[in-house]
Amino acid sequence: MINKEYDVIVMGGGPSGFIAAIAAGRTGARTLLVDKNGFLGGAATSAALGPISPFHIRDEQVVKGIPQQFMDRMVAYGASPGHCKVLDPYGSGAYLGFFDRERYKYIAYEMVREAGVEVLFHSVYSGTIMEGDRVAGVKVVNKSGENVLKAKVVVDATGDGDVASGAGAEFVLGRAKDRKMQPSTLMFEMSNVDTDKLYQYILDNPEDFEWKSDAVPVREYSDRLVSKYFVAQGFKRFVKTAIENGELYIGRDSILLLNSVHPGVIHFNSTRVINVDGTDADSRTAGEIEGRKQVESIVKFMNKYVPGFEQAFLSTTGNEIGVRESRHIVGNYVLQADDVIEGRRFDDVITRGYFPIDVHNMAGKAGYGDPESAGAWIDIKDSYDIPYRCLVPVKVDGLVMAGRCISATSEAHGSFRTQGSVMAIGQAAGTAAGLSAMKGTQPRELDIKQLQDELLRNGASLRRDPQAVEQETENAQKHAAAFLKANPRHITPNIGSDSSAVRK
Ligand SMILES: Cc1cc2nc3c(=O)[nH]c(=O)nc-3n(C[C@H](O)[C@H](O)[C@H](O)COP(=O)(O)OP(=O)(O)OC[C@H]3O[C@@H](n4cnc5c(N)ncnc54)[C@H](O)[C@@H]3O)c2cc1C
């Protein structure tokens, strides 16, 4: 039995967890970051995600601070072209941050180490240590046996809220009314694709696509990464024919693909497995098997039907299926869809959300449509505040929530569940945990002004800065205009040489 004590333990090293660990470490708290994998990044790396979704609403960069420091380092290391402006944001959001997944793992670790954080890999959560109503640590199992890891404050960044659930915290699994959750996806990539031929096909067959767009880098970046970045959802005719011929086994009625930072590599967000409960081992196992069956079929389909894929091969699958949604831990405030859509402000803001409500179809094969039965893409009026109260579970002390499992309805979660937001939430959670541990106070009693000041000191953006927005917009428009001039034929619809005509 191994016994250790820390000021802060961050359980889970995904986008929210590794940023939380950096933030906690920077407060001076003795911090441990634990993950079941042997690398950081969570779903971004282990589920083989494509680009990081925007940190932006329109051209305004809403998420800054440590998440942006991480993006800057990826650009500096030649691992990303940075946030790319999506000329038609419908379906993918205003910007996409293409990145090298293998370099992400290293760069995340490097920043964690620089913050003085200890890391423990290959360690699976096995229980929450309680002292009354207070979380006093976690138990994990690994090759060394059982470990008792005590802390003044624990950050639950497991995505599924495992630590909170083990503490007896109240939660809602999926949608409150029927416990349905967003579908899961086993991501994959194919290599040796003739991407010029693929782009040309999309260009020549616009009616075959639900949406598609070019994505334009807006800053200096490595020459090695220069590429024509794009995203497209469709290939409907091929999909229909192949399904009718019994040649395609897939959970959707279209293919969603993007290119990547590597030449000839295409990323697929194209399997769909409904009714996966990420908190249930049997359900998760069944999801993996079903996802892999779909991948096998889609690869054969792409080779046979889609121009550019004749010589392509399956080069990557996620180590695990990507689970979009599971537990929503009930906190001192439950973020609502209306808060998101109306752009509500809260005094205890710790970051701002900006992404449309993006709910993949929970019940069937179609794309966006009726939110009850199908998926939904709901634009929001403005950025909105995420209050600190959503990170603090009701009743349970010694615990701060980070990432996709914070307190929100399923619909509101559909907006902040992407990486930019969960990273920013992670910064707030880690900072709050560090400050609470160092002061000997409970997270719920933390002085919000002090937390906000510390976030601002570390570069977070809590309120709109009109001057920055003006500069960001001008820069984005300049790069978009240059792209359109150099590429008079492009896949983005309804756009001439003036990028302000882009659908918002
Ligand atoms: C299919 C899919 C597609 C997506 N597409 C995009 C996209 O295009 N752009 C985008 O920005 N975002 C996308 N997202 C969302 C993005 O993945 C999430 O925002 C993000 O990964 C959530 O971060 P997190 O830190 O809350 O949780 P996670 O990324 O799930 O990280 C949780 C971490 O905790 C660890 N962990 C969990 N349970 C345990 C345990 N019991 N013991 C030990 N360790 C544990 C895991 O190993 C993992 O490292 C997608 C998500 C999915 C599932």
Side-chain angles (χ1 to χ4, degrees):
M1 178 84 83
I2 291 166
N3 290 288
K4 286 191 175 167
E5 284 197 42
Y6 296 87
D7 293 321
V8 173
I9 292 175
V10 179
M11 193 69 216
S16 70
F18 87 79
I19 297 282
I22 295 168
R26 287 186 186 176
T27 65
R30 185 165 174 244
T31 303
L32 175 72
L33 174 59
V34 186
D35 201 281
K36 67 180 167 61
N37 293 325
F39 51 84
L40 299 175
T45 50
S46 68
L49 256 56
I52 295 174
S53 294
F55 285 27
H56 306 68
I57 185 162
R58 295 178 280 276
D59 289 319
E60 174 187 359
Q61 184 166 346
V62 172
V63 168
K64 296 183 176 172
I66 301 175
Q68 184 54 36
Q69 291 161 20
F70 172 65
M71 282 301 284
D72 287 343
R73 180 117 20 141
M74 287 218 288
V75 175
Y77 281 27
S80 170
H83 307 287
C84 299
K85 178 176 170 63
V86 180
L87 297 185
D88 184 348
Y90 181 76
S92 47
Y95 281 71
L96 286 172
F98 295 82
F99 66 96
D100 182 326
R101 207 174 297 120
E102 296 308 316
R103 312 285 295 286
Y104 183 127
K105 294 175 188 172
Y106 178 74
I107 294 165
Y109 173 73
E110 188 177 69
M111 290 182 67
V112 163
R113 192 193 63 210
E114 285 168 6
V117 174
E118 277 181 52
V119 174
L120 184 64
F121 283 139
H122 298 300
S123 301
V124 179
Y125 163 86
S126 61
T128 306
I129 303 165
M130 298 298 292
E131 285 174 5
D133 283 340
R134 185 180 81 82
V135 172
V138 288
K139 288 186 195 162
V140 302
V141 285
N142 54 28
K143 280 281 190 183
S144 310
E146 187 164 81
N147 302 236
V148 172
L149 305 171
K150 292 198 137 190
K152 292 176 185 149
V153 181
V154 174
V155 177
D156 185 343
T158 59
D160 296 316
D162 290 353
V163 181
S165 162
E170 199 184 319
F171 64 83
V172 177
L173 193 61
R175 279 202 305 208
K177 67 175 181 185
D178 56 9
R179 291 164 65 100
K180 276 207 178 301
M181 287 168 258
Q182 293 217 26
S184 292
T185 295
L186 183 61
M187 301 289 204
F188 67 97
E189 285 174 354
M190 293 181 76
S191 296
N192 203 31
V193 180
D194 182 338
T195 49
D196 289 341
K197 199 168 170 186
L198 170 64
Y199 188 89
Q200 191 63 40
Y201 175 79
I202 301 169
L203 199 54
D204 293 342
N205 296 274
E207 70 293 341
D208 203 19
F209 292 86
E210 290 166 60
W211 47 271
K212 53 198 168 44
S213 181
D214 300 276
V216 180
V218 298
R219 63 183 286 181
E220 293 289 312
Y221 64 100
S222 166
D223 290 346
R224 289 185 49 258
L225 304 184
V226 171
S227 179
K228 197 183 268 182
Y229 290 100
F230 62 91
V231 54
Q233 174 163 309
F235 303 96
K236 290 267 215 183
R237 274 187 297 125
F238 290 148
V239 170
K240 189 165 175 292
T241 308
I243 288 177
E244 281 167 6
N245 293 344
E247 292 175 314
L248 179 59
Y249 180 77
I250 185 172
R252 312 165 34 117
D253 64 1
S254 64
I255 297 287
L256 167 53
L257 55 73
L258 311 93
N259 69 336
S260 75
V261 292
H262 300 301
V265 177
I266 291 291
H267 175 81
F268 290 79
N269 187 341
S270 293
T271 67
R272 177 177 293 160
V273 188
I274 57 174
N275 298 325
V276 173
D277 175 355
T279 68
D280 179 287
D282 287 337
S283 178
R284 230 173 154 128
T285 302
E288 300 284 1
I289 295 164
E290 168 64 18
R292 216 155 277 282
K293 191 174 167 189
Q294 292 186 23
V295 170
E296 182 63 19
S297 183
I298 297 168
V299 167
K300 288 182 185 143
F301 160 80
M302 296 304 291
N303 283 149
K304 176 169 177 184
Y305 279 88
V306 181
F309 283 84
E310 296 83 353
Q311 304 301 322
F313 61 92
L314 175 65
S315 49
T316 302
T317 57
N319 295 340
E320 58 185 335
I321 195 164
V323 174
R324 290 188 173 83
E325 179 181 13
S326 56
R327 295 189 187 102
H328 307 288
I329 306 299
V330 179
N332 287 336
Y333 183 75
V334 180
L335 195 71
Q336 306 290 316
D338 268 2
D339 298 333
V340 170
I341 294 167
E342 299 299 324
R344 295 238 160 86
R345 304 273 165 251
F346 295 97
D347 288 344
D348 59 339
V349 53
I350 47 90
T351 185
R352 290 181 293 144
Y354 49 82
F355 202 71
I357 293 182
D358 176 17
V359 179
H360 291 229
N361 193 328
M362 297 181 181
K365 292 198 173 194
Y368 300 124
D370 168 21
E372 293 302 312
S373 58
W377 178 271
I378 303 170
D379 278 322
I380 63 177
K381 291 182 184 161
D382 199 356
S383 60
Y384 59 92
D385 292 352
I386 299 183
Y388 177 56
R389 283 164 294 160
C390 293
L391 279 57
V392 182
V394 281
K395 294 197 189 117
V396 180
D397 279 323
L399 183 63
V400 185
M401 305 307 303
R404 65 174 169 83
C405 55
I406 65 163
S407 180
T409 63
S410 174
E411 296 76 19
H413 157 270
S415 165
F416 67 73
R417 68 184 181 83
T418 52
Q419 284 194 64
S421 284
V422 299
M423 285 178 170
I425 292 167
Q427 179 171 351
T431 306
L435 292 178
S436 301
M438 301 300 276
K439 288 186 160 302
T441 57
Q442 287 308 318
R444 76 180 66 257
E445 287 156 8
L446 192 63
D447 178 352
I448 184 67
K449 174 81 173 58
Q450 194 194 4
L451 171 59
Q452 290 169 333
D453 286 348
E454 188 63 16
L455 291 172
L456 292 170
R457 213 175 57 75
N458 272 290
S461 160
L462 303 183
R463 285 284 169 252
R464 175 164 290 147
D465 172 352
Q467 211 179 336
V469 178
E470 198 176 311
Q471 283 166 5
E472 287 158 1
T473 307
E474 198 179 305
N475 180 52
Q477 299 295 340
K478 183 182 80 186
H479 283 87
F483 171 86
L484 292 169
K485 192 167 173 209
N487 299 276
R489 290 202 75 208
H490 45 261
I491 63 169
T492 313
N494 306 323
I495 181 170
S497 59
D498 174 8
S499 61
S500 64
V502 167
R503 172 170 46 177
K504 291 290 181 218

